[in-house]
């Protein structure tokens, strides 16, 4: 059996100290103290996260939200009720055969009165439970807030263009990272002993302490989980100012200034490169004149093209929200490219990693989206 371990010397010099995990599940009663600590830290000290959440259109709100303040949730679409509403969002996989109840023209009025909790798949039920545990009244879920059978797919097409605002204004995004279908849920049982690393004192150097843990902790436990292999999930992550990832055995925090887990709540030294990239992307989106803007955009395209799409027609739609967040009056967006970067942008080439993308006629042949 191969154990993928690394030895980190004197972690205290990086300002991060591993924490012992003692709880046997990731349900709210176990995870809320840590999540509140992250939220409080982000609210008080993370300038970039606040800029993303409170931009120029800070009064914007989604067209519909699910009200979870009562025992049974209901759909709310009254603009007066939604004005200034704090809400969470959910990022998840529907699965290959999503037969669960969704918002349709035929049940719209019923949803405004009541959404039968037991009819929802486990992931959506858990999202309602977790939102309530944060004392937040509303949650946005695509299956419950977008009419799935509108004429000519009109409602979906209109709402898909607002994803930059939907996720960008969310107080907190919940990601069902390890769930391949909507029936798999957010929360997991776990063995805390298996999570905790081992501290070892050096016999030759008493002042040095080694910590043994998984080498690619973030990538193994999070990056290659089912949700994050889905192309749509990229913009949901990147547009959100902060996300809680419910992984197979612990929760992860991701925001513009911190990547952390329950075992490393203050961040991890081997995630410094990731943190630098996060700050670069945030700065590029907030400052249209940033020199990092095009570099950040192409890094996102590379990451996006590694994901899979159920509908190939979504190729440009599923990144449209990110494109909108990069837009500036001094530039123009064309089929995945920017006019001011066109000479460089036309030098793209397909890599082995872009396994989810096959040639289509959805974009001009000079575009990476073709």
């Amino acid at each position: 059996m191969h154990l993928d371990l690394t030895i980190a010397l004197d972690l205290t010099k990086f300002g991060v100290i591993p924490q012992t995990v003692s709880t046997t599940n990731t349900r709210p009663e176990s995870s809320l103290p840590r999540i509140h600590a992250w939220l409080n830290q982000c609210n008080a000290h993370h300038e970039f996260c606040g800029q993303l959440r409170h931009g120029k259109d800070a009064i914007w709100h989604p067209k519909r939200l699910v009200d979870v303040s009562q025992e049974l949730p209901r759909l709310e679409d009254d603009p007066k009720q939604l004005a200034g509403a704090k809400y969470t969002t959910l990022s998840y996989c529907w699965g290959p055969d999503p037969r669960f109840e969704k918002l349709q023209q035929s049940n719209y009025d019923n949803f405004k009165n009541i959404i039968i909790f037991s009819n929802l798949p486990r992931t959506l039920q858990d999202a309602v439970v977790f939102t309530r545990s944060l004392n937040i009244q509303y949650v946005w879920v695509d299956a419950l807030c977008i009419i799935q059978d509108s004429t000519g797919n009109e409602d979906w097409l209109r709402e898909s263009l607002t994803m930059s605002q939907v996720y960008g204004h969310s107080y907190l995004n919940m990601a069902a990272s390890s769930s391949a279908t909507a029936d798999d849920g957010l929360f997991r049982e776990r063995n805390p002993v298996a999570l905790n690393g081992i501290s070892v004192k050096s016999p030759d150097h008493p002042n040095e302490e080694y910590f043994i843990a998984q080498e690619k902790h973030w990538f193994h436990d999070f990056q290659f989980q089912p949700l994050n292999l889905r192309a749509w999930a990229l913009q949901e992550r990147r547009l959100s100012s902060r996300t809680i990832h419910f992984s197979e055995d612990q929760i992860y925090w991701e925001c513009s200034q911190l990547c952390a887990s329950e075992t490393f709540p203050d961040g991890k030294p081997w995630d410094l490169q990731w943190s630098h990239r996060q700050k670069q992307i945030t700065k590029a989106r907030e400052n249209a004149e940033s020199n990092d803007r095009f570099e950040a955009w192409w890094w996102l395209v590379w990451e996006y093209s590694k994901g899979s799409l159920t509908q190939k027609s979504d190729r440009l739609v599923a990144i449209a929200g990110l494109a909108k967040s990069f837009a500036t009056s001094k530039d123009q967006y064309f089929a995945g490219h920017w006019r001011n970067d066109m000479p460089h942008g036309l030098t793209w080439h397909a890599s082995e990693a872009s396994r989810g993308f096959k040639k289509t006629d959805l974009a001009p042949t000079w575009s990476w989206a073709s």
Side-chain angles (χ1 to χ4, degrees):
M1 178 179 180
H2 172 65
L3 295 178
D4 190 7
L5 301 176
T6 189
I7 297 177
L9 176 63
D10 193 10
L11 282 175
T12 55
K13 73 180 181 182
F14 292 102
V16 293
I17 301 175
Q19 299 293 309
T20 299
V21 175
S22 59
T23 57
T24 58
N25 61 68
T26 58
R27 290 192 291 271
E29 58 267 27
S30 300
S31 61
L32 273 181
R34 170 47 52 198
I35 292 172
H36 278 305
W38 281 325
L39 283 169
N40 291 338
Q41 179 183 2
C42 188
N43 287 335
H45 303 294
H46 292 178
E47 178 184 357
F48 291 146
C49 300
Q51 290 174 359
L52 285 175
R53 215 165 43 256
H54 307 296
K56 296 178 181 178
D57 53 353
I59 62 172
W60 186 93
H61 60 78
K63 185 175 182 178
R64 309 177 189 98
L65 289 169
V66 176
D67 185 342
V68 301
S69 60
Q70 304 301 316
E71 181 178 356
L72 291 174
R74 54 176 290 273
L75 184 70
E76 179 61 75
D77 63 358
D78 184 348
K80 294 181 180 179
Q81 296 296 323
L82 297 180
K86 179 190 291 187
Y87 65 93
T88 62
T89 46
L90 177 65
S91 183
Y92 67 110
C93 295
W94 283 28
D97 189 24
R99 299 186 181 184
F100 57 88
E101 188 171 25
K102 310 170 192 69
L103 180 63
Q104 298 179 319
Q105 296 180 80
S106 59
N107 63 13
Y108 194 100
D109 290 337
N110 290 337
F111 267 40
K112 289 181 65 175
N113 292 320
I114 187 174
I115 298 174
I116 305 300
F117 185 79
S118 59
N119 289 348
L120 299 177
R122 184 178 155 199
T123 299
L124 274 62
Q125 290 182 1
D126 287 352
V128 169
V129 169
F130 185 74
T131 300
R132 283 175 177 161
S133 73
L134 292 173
N135 292 319
I136 294 177
Q137 183 174 356
Y138 297 107
V139 59
W140 186 93
V141 182
D142 57 358
L144 306 180
C145 296
I146 299 177
I147 302 173
Q148 302 297 317
D149 64 345
S150 60
T151 304
N153 220 14
E154 176 185 358
D155 197 62
W156 184 88
L157 290 172
R158 180 175 57 248
E159 293 302 302
S160 67
L161 297 178
T162 69
M163 291 302 99
S164 62
Q165 293 108 315
V166 168
Y167 284 93
H169 285 76
S170 170
Y171 182 74
L172 181 66
N173 183 43
M174 302 168 286
S177 300
S178 62
S179 298
T181 76
D183 293 315
D184 295 338
L186 293 177
F187 314 132
R188 295 289 189 272
E189 301 298 317
R190 65 185 178 189
N191 176 6
V193 176
L195 284 177
N196 299 318
I198 303 170
S199 294
V200 180
K201 291 285 187 180
S202 169
D204 300 321
H205 304 280
N207 294 328
E208 293 182 357
E209 183 176 4
Y210 295 83
F211 185 78
I212 304 175
Q214 290 183 353
E215 181 179 11
K216 295 185 177 178
H217 187 269
W218 173 262
F219 295 100
H220 286 183
D221 288 358
F222 162 72
Q223 198 78 338
F224 296 120
Q225 293 296 314
L227 177 63
N228 297 307
L229 298 177
R230 171 178 166 260
W232 270 101
L234 174 69
Q235 74 168 2
E236 294 166 2
R237 280 175 58 200
R238 298 302 182 188
L239 292 172
S240 302
S241 64
R242 50 201 184 190
T243 295
I244 286 290
H245 298 276
F246 291 88
S247 189
E248 195 60 42
D249 55 10
Q250 66 175 310
I251 57 173
Y252 289 83
W253 170 273
E254 180 182 22
C255 71
S256 297
Q257 295 182 241
L258 177 65
C259 163
S261 65
E262 290 177 271
T263 48
F264 286 90
D266 298 317
K268 304 178 290 297
W270 48 86
D271 286 329
L272 292 177
Q273 183 179 3
W274 175 91
S275 298
H276 168 74
R277 180 67 69 178
Q278 280 290 91
K279 291 178 182 178
Q280 182 187 43
I281 292 172
T282 303
K283 288 180 179 179
R285 288 170 54 189
E286 290 300 307
N287 181 7
E289 305 305 316
S290 169
N291 292 329
D292 292 333
R293 179 166 170 262
F294 297 128
E295 182 183 349
W297 173 254
W298 287 113
W299 186 82
L300 287 171
V301 168
W302 173 79
E303 191 176 8
Y304 173 73
S305 65
K306 293 187 294 181
S308 61
L309 287 167
T310 302
Q311 303 292 334
K312 67 178 183 180
S313 58
D314 290 346
R315 183 168 299 181
L316 286 172
V317 178
I319 200 173
L322 274 173
K324 186 174 182 179
S325 73
F326 272 77
T328 165
S329 61
K330 297 181 179 181
D331 205 349
Q332 289 179 286
Y333 179 70
F334 297 103
H337 293 253
W338 299 97
R339 176 186 286 276
N340 293 345
D341 185 53
M342 193 63 78
H344 170 260
L346 294 178
T347 65
W348 68 271
H349 67 277
S351 68
E352 188 66 28
S354 57
R355 59 188 181 280
F357 278 39
K358 304 297 181 184
K359 185 174 176 59
T360 72
D361 57 359
L362 298 172
T365 55
W366 47 260
S367 170
W368 60 264
S370 64

